[in-house]
Amino acid sequence: MKTQRRVSAAVVALLLGGAGIAISASPAVAAEATYKVKCVPPAGGGDPVEGETTAKITAPAAAKVGDEVDVVWETVKPASNNTDLMDIPKDAVQPTGWITLGGGMGELKVVGEKKNPPIPKKAPMVMSPMKGKLKLTKAGKITLTPGKYDVAVTFSFGTFVTKCAPVGEVKGGATIDVSAGSSGGTTSGGTTTGGATTGGSTTTGGSTTGGSTTGGSTTSGGSTTGGGGGQTDFPGKPVEVSFDCGPVVPGGIKTPVTINAKKNGGSYDLTVKTAKGAMAAPVPLPAGALKPSMDVKLGGADSGTVKVSGPANAEAIPDKGPVSLSDMTGTYKPGKTGKVTLSPDRLTIDVTMAAGSPPINVPCKAASSGVSLELDTTAQPGGSGSSTSTGTSTGTGTSGGLAETGAEDEGGIQALALVAGTVILLGGAVFTFTPWRRLRGTR
């Protein structure tokens, strides 16, 4: 009979949308709570946003002291839709929530899987059920009320986390009637199942879930520690960078930039990423048209810059096709021992519209930036941050980025006209991409 009751409980949970939880005490029941939340996107992601979400909490109706029960939080109604700026890829969204426990038992942390269908622009957000295990330590009625939650969204260029918290009192949720039983003397709440949220400090990516934007309130996804203990991979956090490109790009350009490092002997292989596929091309761009490079500024124990560069686009970009800059790589060989910070600095884009023609060099100074990564370094013989280079971009050009073509060079003049359109594209599209800036709420 006990086995049959457990099977029945699981079936009931499935029918109720409780993601198949199995309870050892009694069948699971679900209760909903609708409440307002305030969501804070990551740095550079725009202003905080308020919305209304509906959460369903599934837990056993009754249990006894000493039982460990499964609890599930499902987002029935998200507080907003995805933005109109970027599609969210499959299996990119991972939610984490905190359920307030009545009777002074604290909070229960519940975590969802990184599992979701592709979410188009403006489409409703989809979050997986968040699950956790609760150990019951005292008799009485225990209320489970949904509260704050985080949403981490992972893109190819980083993970971004948005933090959402209730506005006002939250009413509703599940209740467990706990009867006296064997006392296990264990603590309650806080035990989690599922993977921990990954940081990013996502978004770029712009998405909202259950009243949250993806991107992420505090940027996670990018820890800023490095150095010892056998660790080899050091992910950086995305930082919003403003570039001043002079008259070539009126108003300057902005983009999230992430610096990642991988230890290679005593040196570090760097990879720098910017926003991807942010805008459609206004004109067809040939293969090899765009080649980026950047100076990574060193601070703390070391000084100078490290040059990183990326390959040109391997394939032609059709009219209205997505425009991206390639990942930029380089090597940093520490010249000093201690904590060294790495920040995005000067960006250069070489634009070549026709094979054999001189590239147009577009220099952009970082008007504002921030630390993306911090490493604990050990000085290496011959190491220095000041002139380390792994491929600098070359090309002729004035400070305005306009190459001399010659009066009779009709092809060069036409190419220059296309480049002008491309530069405008880069300034008004790729780099101004902030996926969390325009959150569209569904109230």
Side-chain angles (χ1 to χ4, degrees):
M1 289 296 294
K2 189 173 182 180
T3 301
Q4 291 177 345
R5 284 198 300 271
R6 289 182 178 178
V7 173
S8 298
V11 172
V12 171
L14 281 170
L15 292 176
L16 291 174
I21 60 176
I23 305 299
S24 61
S26 66
V29 293
E32 294 185 359
T34 298
Y35 61 103
K36 291 183 178 180
V37 293
K38 181 178 181 179
C39 297
V40 182
D47 298 327
V49 177
E50 292 190 10
E52 187 177 79
T53 185
T54 299
K56 180 167 69 175
I57 305 298
T58 303
K64 64 181 184 296
V65 173
D67 285 346
E68 185 177 68
V69 297
D70 293 331
V71 179
V72 177
W73 173 345
E74 291 181 88
T75 301
V76 177
K77 174 193 171 186
S80 58
N81 294 341
N82 185 15
T83 66
D84 58 357
L85 292 174
M86 190 171 188
D87 295 340
I88 298 177
K90 179 181 178 182
D91 298 339
V93 179
Q94 184 177 38
T96 301
W98 285 265
I99 296 174
T100 302
L101 305 174
M105 294 181 63
E107 293 181 324
L108 172 68
K109 183 179 178 181
V110 290
V111 182
E113 295 182 281
K114 190 186 288 185
K115 188 173 184 180
N116 61 276
I119 305 174
K121 302 179 186 70
K122 299 184 180 181
M125 284 299 302
V126 179
M127 290 190 292
S128 64
M130 295 174 277
K131 304 177 183 180
K133 289 186 180 293
L134 174 63
K135 189 79 170 184
L136 303 173
T137 60
K138 63 180 181 179
K141 290 187 180 295
I142 306 298
T143 58
L144 294 87
T145 306
K148 63 183 180 180
Y149 60 90
D150 295 350
V151 182
V153 179
T154 301
F155 295 90
S156 60
F157 47 88
T159 299
F160 304 86
V161 178
T162 291
K163 293 184 177 291
C164 298
V167 177
E169 183 182 1
V170 180
K171 296 181 179 180
T175 301
I176 305 175
D177 190 355
V178 184
S179 60
S182 59
S183 177
T186 55
T187 58
S188 66
T191 304
T192 66
T193 59
T197 55
T198 56
S201 75
T202 157
T203 126
T204 58
S207 77
T208 67
T209 79
S212 78
T213 64
T214 60
S217 91
T218 51
T219 12
S220 72
S223 63
T224 58
T225 60
Q231 184 179 355
T232 57
D233 292 306
F234 304 99
K237 68 179 181 181
V239 292
E240 192 78 12
V241 184
S242 297
F243 292 99
D244 181 1
C245 305
V248 181
V249 184
I253 54 182
K254 294 181 180 180
T255 179
V257 180
T258 305
I259 302 173
N260 299 317
K262 184 178 182 66
K263 196 167 186 180
N264 185 359
S267 300
Y268 295 87
D269 294 332
L270 304 182
T271 300
V272 179
K273 297 175 178 289
T274 59
K276 304 292 181 181
M279 193 70 176
V283 295
L285 301 175
L290 307 177
K291 185 176 181 180
S293 63
M294 184 180 292
D295 290 340
V296 175
K297 186 177 181 180
L298 303 176
D302 209 346
S303 61
T305 58
V306 178
K307 176 73 73 175
V308 294
S309 62
N313 52 303
E315 299 180 356
I317 304 173
D319 186 23
K320 308 232 176 357
V323 176
S324 302
L325 292 180
S326 62
D327 292 347
M328 292 165 276
T329 59
T331 300
Y332 166 47
K333 189 174 184 180
K336 301 289 185 180
T337 297
K339 293 187 178 296
V340 178
T341 60
L342 290 83
S343 306
D345 200 35
R346 179 187 174 96
L347 170 70
T348 301
I349 304 171
D350 286 345
V351 185
T352 304
M353 296 301 295
S357 64
I360 294 178
N361 183 265
V362 182
C364 300
K365 177 183 178 182
S368 66
S369 185
V371 174
S372 177
L373 183 63
E374 184 180 80
L375 298 171
D376 290 327
T377 64
T378 301
Q380 302 297 309
S384 173
S386 29
S387 298
T388 305
S389 171
T390 57
T392 50
S393 56
T394 59
T396 60
T398 67
S399 59
L402 301 180
E404 295 182 3
T405 60
E408 71 279 5
D409 188 359
E410 181 179 357
I413 294 175
Q414 291 176 347
L416 182 57
L418 288 177
V419 169
T422 304
V423 169
I424 293 173
L425 160 73
L426 292 174
V430 174
F431 297 101
T432 56
F433 171 62
T434 305
W436 323 279
R437 194 174 302 279
R438 296 199 303 273
L439 182 64
R440 298 182 179 273
T442 56
R443 306 289 177 95

